[in-house]
Amino acid sequence: MARSDQNIVLHVDDVSKNLGGLQALSDIDFAVEEGTTHAIIGPNGAGKSTLLNVIVGRLPPTRGAVVFDGTVLTGKQPYEINQLGVARVFQTPEIFPELSVLQNVMTPAFAKRDGAFRINIFRTVDSEAEIRDEAEAILEDVGLSTRLASHAGSLSRGDKRRMELAMCLIQHPRLLLLDEPTAGMSRHDTNTTIDLLKKIKARGMTKVIIEHDMHVVFSLADRISVLSGGKIIAEGTPDEVRGSAKVQEAYLGGAHRLEAH
Amino acid sequence: MTLFALSRRDLAVFAVFAVVVLAMPFWLQPLGAAYPALMQKFVISAIFAIGFNILFGLTGYLSFGHAAFLGVGSYTAVWSFKLLTMDAIPAIFFAVLVSGLFALVIGYLSLRRSGIYFSILTLAFAQMCYNLAYSVLTPITNGETSLQLTLSDPRLIDTALAPRPAGLPSASLFGHSFSGLEGFYFCAVVLLIAFFVTQKIFASPFGMMLRAIKSNQTRMTYTGFNTRPYTLTAFVISGMFAGLAGALFAITDPLAGTERMQWTASGEVVLMTILGGVGTLIGPVIGAWFIEYFENIFSAFNESVVHAFFSFLPAEIADPVALVASKFVGEGWQLTLGLLFVLVVVFLPGGIMEGVRRIGSLFGRRGTPVSPGAARAQPAE
Ligand SMILES: Nc1ncnc2c1ncn2[C@@H]1O[C@H](COP(=O)(O)OP(=O)(O)O)[C@@H](O)[C@H]1O
Ligand SMILES: [Mg+2]
C-alpha cells in the first residue's frame, strides 16, 4: 500500500464487538486517509452501523481501539469525540423535531463555537447573526432554504436526512460519518446529495460512508471496505472491489440486489 | 448593552405584563380579590411557577420536589430576619443562595436518572427535607410550631443601628418598613425582574440548548454538548426561583412552617404550569393565578353568593340551578378545579396559552406561521 502513515485521520485498530453473544464485529482493521472518502458496504446486518457506533463512542469495543488523529477515542464520551471533530449522520435521522429547521442547524454551531458547556444567557439567539447566516447558507446548499421556519418534525424523511447533514456540516468536522445518507430519497434527491458530498470532498473533509446504493458508492468512494458477518471480506479501490469474486459471492449476484434497498 | 437586550416583541410582552401586574389592585377589584395578602400570593406563586417552568418547560425534566426549595428559602429568610436584619434584600440574597445550594446537591443526584425515575428521586429528596424540617432539624426549623420572630432575636445589624422597637418588627427596605399594599408592590417588582430574567433565558442560546435537550438528548450528545451541566444549571436556576418565592412569603409574613414543603405544594406548581401552558413564558403565570384564585376566592363562595348570582332567573329555575352550582364552589372548589384541569389536558394539551393561541389564529392572524416558535429563533409566549 502506497499510503503514508502521517496522513491517516482515522485508524480502526483490530476492533471486535460482542453484542449479547453475537459477534457483531471481528478484528476490523482499516485506516482512512485525510481528505478521502471511505465507503463501507455489505448486506443488512453485516455490522456497519455497529462499527459507526463504536467509532462515535455509543458502544465500547470488546477488543481493539479507535484512533482519531493520534487520539485514542475508545473510552471517551460521545460529546468529547464530537468536540474532537467527528460528526455523524444517523441511519434513522436524529434531529430536534420540536425546533425549527433553522434552529436545528444553528444549535450544533454553538457546540463548535462555545464548547461542550457554556451558560450563554446574555445574548439572544436572534443577535447571533454570524451563526444564523452560516446556517442559512448551509441550508441553501442542502436545498432547504425554503423551509427555514418549518417545524423539523414535519419534514419528509428525505428532508430530515438533508437537514441532519446540514447539522453536521455547520460544525466543519474533520471526519464525517454517514450512515446511509441517501436511503429513502428519490433518485433526484440522491443525485443532489451526491453532488453535495462531492463538494464537501473538494473542501478536504474526510468521510466514512455506509451506503447500499452502488451508484452512490462508486461515484464517491476512494476506497471501499466490504463487511459481511462482522468481518471485512475485501478492501480496495472501487475497481478492485468490483472485480473481487468474494464480493460478488457475498452479494449473491452483485450490485443489483443491493440497489433494491 | 447585551445585558438588557431583547427583541422588540419580547420588550412589548414585558411592557404589557408589567402593566397587568402593577395594575392588579384595579382589575382584581371586580373579581373580589384585590386585597394585598391575596395579591401577594398571586405574585409569589407566579415567580414559583415561572422558575419551575425553566426546568420543566425547557428541559422536560419533571420535578416533584420543588416545594423543598420554597421551604428552604422561607427558613433562610426568617433566619436572616432573626439574626441580622429585617431588611428584605439580605433575606432574599441568602434565601436564593441557600436554596441554590440545595438545588445543586439534589439536582446533581437526581439528574443521574431521567423520566419517571428523576421525578421519583426529586419527590424522595423533598420528602426527606420535609421530614428533617419536621423532626430532626427542629432547633433550626422549630418543627410543627413554625419558625417565627421573637422579641429576643439578636437582629445584630438592626440593633446596632437603632434602638429595639417595642413590638415585633415587620420586613423593611433600606430602613423603611412596609406591609399591606407596599408589600404587594415590592413583590410585584421582584416578579417583573424574575420575568425579565426568564425572558432572557428563553431568548438566549442557553435556552435554545435546553429546548434541544428536551427535544432529543441523543442528538445533543453526538453534537458535542455535555448535557448534564446544562440540565443541572436549569435545575439550580429553578430552585433559586423557588427559594426567591419562599423568601417573599417570609417577607410578607415573617413565618416559616413545614407545610410549605409538603408534597402537595410541589404538585400544585406542576398543575399551575400544565394548566397555563408548559414551556411558554406567560402560561405558568396564568396557571398560578387561576389556581390561587380558585383556592382563595372560589372556595369562599357560599350558597347565598350563588343564589344572588342566579337571582335574575325565575325562582323555580334559580333554586335548582343554584343548588347544583353551589356544589362546585365553596368546599367543592377542588371539584371545579379538577374538572377544569381534565378539560384543559384533554382538549388543550398546550394549556390555556394554546387556547389563547387558537383564538388568536381565528382572528386575522391566518397568514402567519402556525407552528409555535418556528418562524423566529424562539417562541414568544
Ligand atoms: N444493541 C444490539 N444488541 C444486540 N444485537 C444487535 C444490537 N445492535 C445490532 N445488533 C445486531 O448486530 C448485527 C449488526 O447490526 P448493524 O450494525 O445494525 O447492521 P447493518 O448496519 O450492517 O445493517 C445485526 O445482526 C443486529 O441484529
Ligand atoms: Mg445499519
Side-chain angles (χ1 to χ4, degrees):
Chain A
M1 275 199 281
R3 304 205 288 156
S4 67
D5 268 5
Q6 60 259 46
N7 280 344
I8 299 298
V9 174
L10 176 74
H11 185 192
V12 175
D13 189 2
D14 258 331
V15 163
S16 297
K17 179 65 193 176
N18 197 311
L19 280 174
L22 174 84
Q23 195 66 29
L25 298 172
S26 327
D27 304 318
I28 303 292
D29 194 292
F30 67 94
V32 182
E33 249 182 283
E34 175 108 59
T36 64
T37 300
H38 192 113
I40 295 169
I41 62 171
N44 262 328
K48 305 181 297 296
S49 297
T50 306
L51 177 58
L52 288 200
N53 284 340
V54 169
I55 296 174
V56 298
R58 181 175 248 188
L59 293 173
T62 316
R63 263 187 306 114
V66 177
V67 184
F68 170 70
D69 201 20
T71 311
V72 177
L73 297 187
T74 314
K76 286 200 189 302
Q77 295 286 322
Y79 77 85
E80 295 172 308
I81 293 173
N82 175 277
Q83 286 287 340
L84 288 169
V86 181
R88 173 178 182 182
V89 174
F90 285 79
Q91 188 168 355
T92 321
E94 291 281 358
I95 58 163
F96 306 119
E98 285 82 13
L99 304 189
S100 74
V101 170
L102 184 62
Q103 287 174 322
N104 265 270
V105 180
M106 285 177 78
T107 302
F110 285 103
K112 172 82 175 177
R113 192 192 72 184
D114 298 342
F117 173 62
R118 189 172 141 203
I119 303 176
N120 185 352
I121 60 166
F122 294 118
R123 309 195 55 170
T124 62
V125 174
D126 289 350
S127 67
E128 300 277 7
E130 220 169 281
I131 285 180
R132 186 195 192 94
D133 291 347
E134 186 170 14
E136 286 177 1
I138 288 174
L139 280 165
E140 172 115 47
D141 279 349
V142 300
L144 286 174
S145 54
T146 58
R147 308 296 305 268
L148 299 183
S150 307
H151 242 201
S154 71
L155 295 182
S156 70
R157 197 176 151 89
D159 283 350
K160 280 180 186 160
R161 274 176 190 293
R162 290 196 281 182
M163 187 188 74
E164 195 187 16
L165 181 59
M167 292 165 76
C168 291
L169 292 181
I170 201 169
Q171 294 194 312
H172 302 290
R174 286 201 58 202
L175 175 64
L176 178 61
L177 309 172
L178 301 131
D179 199 341
E180 307 194 19
T182 64
M185 280 189 190
S186 67
R187 176 51 67 191
H188 172 78
D189 283 352
T190 302
N191 287 334
T192 325
T193 309
I194 294 175
D195 290 343
L196 179 67
L197 292 174
K198 280 184 176 159
K199 205 155 77 181
I200 309 166
K201 187 177 169 179
R203 290 185 212 150
M205 199 179 287
T206 313
K207 294 194 294 291
V208 172
I209 177 166
I210 292 176
E211 191 48 78
H212 270 314
D213 189 329
M214 286 299 124
H215 171 62
V216 178
V217 171
F218 287 111
S219 50
L220 284 173
D222 299 296
R223 284 189 82 76
I224 299 175
S225 296
V226 185
L227 207 60
S228 180
K231 293 192 182 67
I232 293 184
I233 57 164
E235 198 199 313
T237 64
D239 285 339
E240 287 165 4
V241 168
R242 221 193 305 247
S244 157
K246 258 193 191 166
V247 178
Q248 295 294 334
E249 192 188 322
Y251 283 123
L252 303 162
H256 187 72
R257 195 181 118 98
L258 285 172
E259 246 158 329
H261 291 278
Chain B
M1 287 308 282
T2 55
L3 191 58
F4 296 105
L6 269 185
S7 70
R8 207 175 285 177
R9 192 185 162 154
D10 278 341
L11 288 175
V13 170
F14 181 81
V16 172
F17 183 71
V19 170
V20 169
V21 170
L22 295 175
M24 269 184 156
F26 303 99
W27 61 265
L28 281 178
Q29 195 78 54
L31 296 170
Y35 49 99
L38 184 57
M39 291 192 297
Q40 280 161 4
K41 259 193 186 168
F42 274 46
V43 165
I44 297 170
S45 295
I47 294 174
F48 189 26
I50 59 176
F52 181 78
N53 186 48
I54 290 174
L55 179 70
F56 180 41
L58 292 183
T59 72
Y61 279 84
L62 174 54
S63 163
F64 267 111
H66 261 50
F69 309 123
L70 189 88
V72 167
S74 283
Y75 282 118
T76 311
V78 174
W79 273 111
S80 171
F81 291 151
K82 289 169 80 77
L83 296 178
L84 299 173
T85 165
M86 289 307 293
D87 198 279
I89 303 292
I92 287 177
F93 174 80
F94 289 117
V96 170
L97 184 75
V98 175
S99 56
L101 288 174
F102 268 74
L104 187 67
V105 174
I106 293 177
Y108 179 81
L109 296 169
S110 304
L111 285 165
R112 313 198 134 248
R113 293 284 172 272
S114 59
I116 185 74
Y117 300 99
F118 167 82
S119 304
I120 298 289
L121 279 173
T122 52
L123 178 62
F125 280 117
Q127 281 304 94
M128 264 167 60
C129 290
Y130 172 76
N131 283 314
L132 285 177
Y134 203 82
S135 54
V136 182
L137 293 179
T138 38
I140 298 175
T141 61
N142 214 15
E144 232 176 321
T145 33
S146 297
L147 187 64
Q148 299 176 30
L149 301 181
T150 64
L151 287 171
S152 58
D153 286 336
R155 283 203 296 283
L156 293 170
I157 296 176
D158 285 359
T159 47
L161 295 177
R164 269 175 187 281
L168 284 176
S170 64
S172 64
L173 189 64
F174 306 125
H176 170 77
S177 46
F178 59 80
S179 59
L181 206 56
E182 282 177 332
F184 160 73
Y185 277 111
F186 178 79
C187 295
V189 169
V190 175
L191 169 62
L192 293 184
I193 295 170
F195 187 77
F196 186 79
V197 170
T198 309
Q199 280 188 304
K200 286 293 287 185
I201 292 174
F202 269 57
S204 70
F206 176 72
M208 189 164 82
M209 307 306 134
L210 297 182
R211 280 197 196 92
I213 288 173
K214 178 180 181 179
S215 184
N216 186 345
Q217 190 147 354
T218 306
R219 185 20 104 193
M220 281 304 267
T221 56
Y222 293 99
T223 297
F225 289 102
N226 187 3
T227 55
R228 194 74 68 71
Y230 276 100
T231 46
L232 183 57
T233 306
F235 194 96
V236 171
I237 293 174
S238 74
M240 288 164 105
F241 271 64
L244 174 64
L248 291 176
F249 274 129
I251 286 167
T252 54
D253 180 14
L255 184 90
T258 50
E259 77 287 343
R260 229 163 249 168
M261 300 176 102
Q262 238 163 356
W263 68 273
T264 46
S266 294
E268 201 171 72
V269 77
V270 178
L271 295 190
M272 289 172 178
T273 311
I274 293 177
L275 188 65
V278 181
T280 63
L281 259 177
I282 303 280
V285 176
I286 295 183
W289 291 350
F290 244 87
I291 290 186
E292 288 296 348
Y293 187 79
F294 269 86
E295 205 171 304
N296 293 283
I297 300 296
F298 229 65
S299 64
F301 288 173
N302 52 27
E303 259 193 81
S304 63
V305 177
V306 178
H307 269 286
F309 184 80
F310 288 108
S311 59
F312 65 93
L313 295 169
E316 52 278 16
I317 301 176
D319 286 345
V321 167
L323 184 71
V324 172
S326 64
K327 298 290 172 223
F328 289 86
V329 299
E331 303 215 309
W333 69 273
Q334 278 168 324
L335 185 64
T336 315
L337 188 60
L339 279 176
L340 188 72
F341 190 77
V342 169
L343 287 177
V344 165
V345 171
V346 171
F347 295 105
L348 290 174
I352 295 171
M353 286 313 289
E354 189 183 325
V356 171
R357 218 167 12 237
R358 281 194 197 168
I359 292 170
S361 62
L362 281 183
F363 293 102
R365 290 206 290 153
R366 273 170 212 279
T368 54
V370 205
S371 50
R376 289 152 26 80
Q378 43 107 11
E381 286 83 18

